[in-house]
Amino acid sequence: MKHLYTTIFLCGLFISLNAQDLARKIPSDANVVVTIKGKNVLELLSLSEFSNSRLGKEMNKEISRETEGELATIEDLGFNLNENLYYFLQTKEGVFYNTFMIPMKSTANLPKLFPRERDEVIKDGAVSYVQESYGGTVIMWNTKEMVFVVPSDQNEDYSYLDYDITPTIAEPVEETIIEEAMEEAVEAAEEIEESIIETPVEAIEEIEETVIEEATPVYDYYNSEEYKKQEERREQRRLAREAAKKKQNTVTLAYAKQVLQSQPIRNILQNSNYKKSLGKGKDEAMVWMNDFPQIYKNAMPSRLLGPNNPYNFLNLDEFYKGTTVTARLNFEQDEAVMGIDYTMSEELAKAYKPMYEGKFNKNFLNYINEDKLLGYMSVNLSTAGILKAYPSLIETMFRNVDQKSDNKKAATIAAASSSVTRLFSLLIDEEGAAKILRGDMLLLLTDLREKEVTYTDYEYDEEYNYKKVEKTKTETVPDFLFLFTSEEEKMFRNIMKIGVLEEKVDYENDIYHVGQTRSNPFDIYAMYKDNTVFIGSSVAQLTQIKKGIYPSKLSNTLKKEISKSATSFYVNGKNIISEIPSEAFPRELRSNIDFLTDNTEDLRVNFSKIKGNTMTGKMILKTPEKGHKNSLAYFINIIDKLME
């Protein structure tokens, strides 16, 4: 039945529902809401195009198999394909209710999805439903829509299953029994003393075994009272757990019926944070997350963790109040774009802002050659801002914990944390630390090359004795260059000088060298120039930079993204695939290397600095136009190719 659930969900990705109708069924305190806008999706890829893909054919095959041939295609399921699919998550008393809502053109064929006797379709007035007995999953429908509820009870505790950890030590033998057995053994020994020389060895062993058996009674644990009591306790726990599961299944069934047949007093459209996230509605999918404290608290109920529950020590309501995350997915002609908005409280934004007010070292741009670039990651933070903000964040996290908590340990930890962070703030020179590491950093992946490395293996002889042997193998390792701004040239050179004096570091032409080891397949080179520390795997590259002859080349787009973003990430997929040796690919992909090379483009991820109380991010995956109708069709075509 799990295959059926998966099939229904995947089919739902190609549906849409009327936001004015089904959105009103989502409670305003939902923690997560996902919308798949079917009309927008079908404009990019029609149902017939999807059904003719390998993925679509496999889904149709699965539908036919699950219904024993009664249904053959996605269309036969009766979904309303011109409207949207909604998913929402609601948490209640340690239970996560994952709910999917799907509009229907017709529900006549839905009973055919459950041909097996164990999947009994129950008719209850205007609704029909099937409920899985073990997990409690419910599929319920009326004439217009279907809901699919998957509960996840975080209160369940299966630690050590049903077993008691009881030592099975034999009961001590009474002292009088031992004395009597010893007397009997002495008498038996005296009786056979004269004939012992003539007595066969087997007879002597038999006498010894008899004496031992009489002196040491065997304790049968599995017929003991202790074992019977443990079995009773185990059965009681099993029955209690089954009763709790049946009760939860009843609650889940009522929950599904409530979602299907009624509307909450306050729905999600009355949630101001959600309404702000809706945007213009041109995207194909949207994810909205809210109320993180409730998600965390329900994920680990306090009764399971007791006094060690971390939420007794943290004021999550204070730390995460007003926090929402919204993500929107758009499939354009030649790129797939996901935009992310992270909104926080005004107080948290005030604490975070100084962390992202870093100055970017524009000299970094002189050491990038886009033609040879495989990827990069840049970070533009402020070390001074981080060190100044850290005490404030800790204070916020533990604020009022000692007053509101009955847990003495929690209050102690809160007070100690506040004291430590205050001491940290007084002792640390934030501006001085920023001279060592300002906060702007750039990691470049410049090449992939094959390198012979040494490793230790073991060889065994016929008797399984082993010996260590050194072997060599060829691995593909990256060439990289890491840069960060630092005003402390003296400190850098003193650290390197220690390495030179200890004969761990070589020094030549103002470049320091650390040789490769068994655990490190790289030769590491380092140097200092223009308030920048350079650490890389290519001495030739550092030599060019030192002489000022490095051939830099970078597009305006990447220049802007690196210098203006708080964090920027870039991968040149085409260059990476072309650099990887074919034998390094999994065997099943080797025949598709040319296809992957022709159909892999750039991936760019950027996060801005905080504006107001919001940080925005964007992930852009470029897709080739040749051979693909649009970026959504591109993904389906890639899946089809990999399924061959």
Side-chain angles (χ1 to χ4, degrees):
M1 197 167 178
K2 289 181 180 178
H3 294 294
L4 178 60
Y5 294 158
T6 303
T7 301
I8 291 175
F9 173 69
L10 289 174
C11 291
L13 295 179
F14 290 86
I15 340 176
S16 136
L17 36 97
N18 189 312
Q20 291 299 317
D21 294 333
L22 292 187
R24 297 185 183 280
K25 291 180 176 288
I26 302 174
S28 64
D29 61 349
N31 305 102
V32 180
V33 179
V34 179
T35 310
I36 308 294
K37 301 180 180 179
K39 183 178 180 181
N40 294 358
V41 171
L42 291 176
E43 287 177 356
L44 296 169
L45 188 72
S46 69
L47 179 62
S48 61
E49 288 173 320
F50 176 74
S51 295
N52 286 325
S53 68
R54 285 181 180 271
L55 179 60
K57 289 176 181 177
E58 285 297 318
M59 289 177 60
N60 288 339
K61 190 184 298 183
E62 182 66 22
I63 291 170
S64 178
R65 188 183 69 80
E66 286 286 342
T67 62
E68 298 179 356
E70 290 285 331
L71 305 178
T73 66
I74 298 171
E75 253 183 314
D76 293 341
L77 297 175
F79 294 156
N80 189 339
L81 301 177
N82 284 311
E83 301 189 2
N84 298 331
L85 165 74
Y86 275 116
Y87 158 84
F88 70 88
L89 169 68
Q90 190 175 25
T91 57
K92 289 185 176 183
E93 298 178 354
V95 181
F96 286 18
Y97 293 96
N98 301 276
T99 304
F100 300 85
M101 299 193 303
I102 302 173
M104 305 295 296
K105 283 183 177 179
S106 169
T107 58
N109 284 337
L110 287 184
K112 296 176 183 178
L113 288 170
F114 313 101
R116 299 175 181 83
E117 290 185 10
R118 68 172 183 267
D119 302 330
E120 179 185 3
V121 177
I122 299 174
K123 185 82 172 172
D124 183 7
V127 304
S128 301
Y129 68 88
V130 173
Q131 183 169 31
E132 184 188 32
S133 60
Y134 180 76
T137 297
V138 176
I139 298 179
M140 182 179 290
W141 62 90
N142 56 24
T143 58
K144 294 183 179 180
E145 59 206 52
M146 178 178 79
V147 297
F148 180 13
V149 181
V150 183
S152 178
D153 191 349
Q154 308 302 307
N155 298 299
E156 293 179 343
D157 182 13
Y158 291 98
S159 56
Y160 297 107
L161 298 176
D162 289 320
Y163 295 98
D164 290 334
I165 309 301
T166 306
T168 57
I169 301 173
E171 292 181 350
V173 181
E174 294 183 10
E175 194 173 323
T176 55
I177 296 176
I178 296 176
E179 291 176 353
E180 292 173 1
M182 290 179 66
E183 290 175 2
E184 292 175 5
V186 171
E187 291 174 3
E190 290 175 350
E191 290 176 5
I192 64 171
E193 185 176 2
E194 295 178 359
S195 59
I196 193 165
I197 298 175
E198 300 174 0
T199 304
V201 174
E202 291 82 358
I204 295 174
E205 291 176 348
E206 184 177 345
I207 293 171
E208 291 174 346
E209 291 174 359
T210 302
V211 172
I212 292 170
E213 288 176 1
E214 291 178 354
T216 313
V218 176
Y219 176 63
D220 187 356
Y221 171 70
Y222 292 103
N223 286 318
S224 68
E225 287 300 317
E226 174 60 28
Y227 180 73
K228 291 177 182 178
K229 290 178 181 178
Q230 179 173 286
E231 286 297 294
E232 289 177 4
R233 292 193 298 269
R234 185 182 302 168
E235 180 65 12
Q236 288 171 359
R237 288 195 297 270
R238 186 186 67 81
L239 292 174
R241 195 164 55 242
E242 283 191 0
K245 187 172 286 293
K246 287 181 180 178
K247 181 179 178 181
Q248 180 56 51
N249 286 355
T250 301
V251 173
T252 302
L253 185 62
Y255 181 87
K257 191 176 294 185
Q258 181 182 8
V259 172
L260 184 67
Q261 292 186 308
S262 61
Q263 292 185 7
I265 297 174
R266 283 182 55 82
N267 63 59
I268 196 66
L269 296 177
Q270 294 168 296
N271 185 313
S272 58
N273 288 331
Y274 178 77
K275 288 180 69 176
K276 291 177 184 176
S277 72
L278 289 176
K280 298 179 181 179
K282 294 182 179 180
D283 32 74
E284 280 69 57
M286 188 186 85
V287 180
W288 177 82
M289 299 179 66
N290 184 47
D291 202 358
F292 290 91
Q294 281 302 312
I295 295 176
Y296 294 143
K297 290 175 183 177
N298 281 280
M300 288 192 286
S302 58
R303 77 170 191 83
L304 292 183
L305 299 175
N308 295 318
N309 189 337
Y311 302 121
N312 288 332
F313 312 145
L314 305 177
N315 192 343
L316 292 179
D317 291 322
E318 185 74 24
F319 194 74
Y320 284 109
K321 67 180 180 182
T323 298
T324 62
V325 176
T326 305
R328 298 183 183 85
L329 179 61
N330 287 274
F331 292 103
E332 306 293 349
Q333 185 66 34
D334 60 350
E335 62 185 21
V337 181
M338 176 176 285
I340 301 171
D341 293 334
Y342 174 55
T343 303
M344 62 202 83
S345 67
E346 296 290 345
E347 182 180 6
L348 200 60
K350 185 178 179 180
Y352 273 135
K353 273 183 180 179
M355 301 169 61
Y356 294 93
E357 294 300 326
K359 296 179 181 179
F360 179 72
N361 189 339
K362 293 186 178 181
N363 288 333
F364 287 1
L365 302 177
N366 298 326
Y367 312 124
I368 305 175
N369 187 336
E370 191 172 348
D371 290 340
K372 296 183 178 181
L373 186 63
L374 302 184
Y376 69 71
M377 180 176 180
S378 71
V379 176
N380 189 12
L381 302 176
S382 167
T383 299
I386 292 172
L387 294 176
K388 289 177 182 177
Y390 177 72
S392 175
L393 291 172
I394 296 298
E395 284 286 343
T396 301
M397 189 177 295
F398 288 99
R399 182 183 299 158
N400 299 327
V401 170
D402 51 345
Q403 288 90 357
K404 74 174 186 177
S405 176
D406 297 329
N407 188 332
K408 183 178 179 181
K409 183 178 179 181
T412 301
I413 290 176
S417 299
S418 179
S419 299
V420 170
T421 52
R422 175 60 179 163
L423 180 62
F424 175 85
S425 178
L426 292 172
L427 294 178
I428 292 296
D429 178 4
E430 294 91 350
E431 301 301 331
K435 290 182 179 180
I436 302 172
L437 183 68
R438 192 169 72 177
D440 50 337
M441 294 169 274
L442 177 64
L443 174 64
L444 303 170
L445 183 64
T446 56
D447 196 8
L448 289 174
R449 54 191 170 89
E450 291 185 319
K451 188 179 184 67
E452 195 173 79
V453 296
T454 303
Y455 68 99
T456 301
D457 199 0
Y458 299 90
E459 290 185 351
Y460 296 83
D461 59 22
E462 294 180 355
E463 296 180 355
Y464 297 100
N465 298 312
Y466 70 89
K467 63 178 181 180
K468 291 183 179 180
V469 293
E470 282 196 354
K471 294 184 177 180
T472 59
K473 61 180 178 179
T474 301
E475 287 188 349
T476 302
V477 297
D479 270 337
F480 69 91
L481 179 63
F482 177 60
L483 309 83
F484 64 89
T485 301
S486 173
E487 296 179 29
E488 284 293 325
E489 180 178 4
K490 184 177 180 180
M491 178 179 287
F492 169 80
R493 296 198 180 279
N494 281 338
I495 292 172
M496 291 294 104
K497 185 177 180 179
I498 293 171
V500 173
L501 293 173
E502 293 294 323
E503 298 183 350
K504 301 292 185 182
V505 177
D506 299 322
Y507 178 68
E508 186 178 355
N509 296 327
D510 208 27
I511 296 176
Y512 299 90
H513 169 231
V514 180
Q516 62 178 297
T517 62
R518 290 180 182 178
S519 59
N520 175 30
F522 302 101
D523 284 296
I524 304 296
Y525 300 90
M527 73 175 191
Y528 186 94
K529 180 184 178 183
D530 298 334
N531 285 348
T532 303
V533 174
F534 297 81
I535 302 173
S537 58
S538 170
V539 66
Q541 192 173 21
L542 262 66
T543 301
Q544 287 179 319
I545 293 172
K546 179 177 174 295
K547 293 180 178 180
I549 58 173
Y550 185 79
S552 62
K553 180 182 178 182
L554 192 64
S555 67
N556 289 331
T557 298
L558 295 186
K559 281 183 181 179
K560 182 179 179 180
E561 290 179 350
I562 293 175
S563 58
K564 299 296 183 182
S565 301
T567 302
S568 185
F569 178 81
Y570 170 79
V571 175
N572 189 320
K574 190 182 294 292
N575 283 358
I576 289 178
I577 291 178
S578 63
E579 291 287 341
I580 298 176
S582 59
E583 57 271 16
F585 282 91
R587 188 170 300 173
E588 59 273 16
L589 288 181
R590 291 176 188 172
S591 60
N592 291 322
I593 292 176
D594 290 340
F595 175 82
L596 292 174
T597 303
D598 293 338
N599 289 275
T600 304
E601 297 289 341
D602 300 347
L603 171 67
R604 310 196 320 270
V605 181
N606 298 287
F607 280 92
S608 71
K609 298 180 180 182
I610 297 174
K611 295 180 180 179
N613 63 338
T614 301
M615 173 181 280
T616 62
K618 185 173 286 189
M619 181 174 70
I620 303 172
L621 176 66
K622 297 293 292 184
T623 59
E625 293 187 57
K626 184 179 179 181
H628 309 287
K629 180 180 176 182
N630 50 56
S631 57
L632 176 58
Y634 163 81
F635 283 105
I636 300 300
N637 294 340
I638 290 291
I639 294 171
D640 280 2
K641 189 66 178 179
L642 297 179
M643 288 175 64
E644 289 182 354

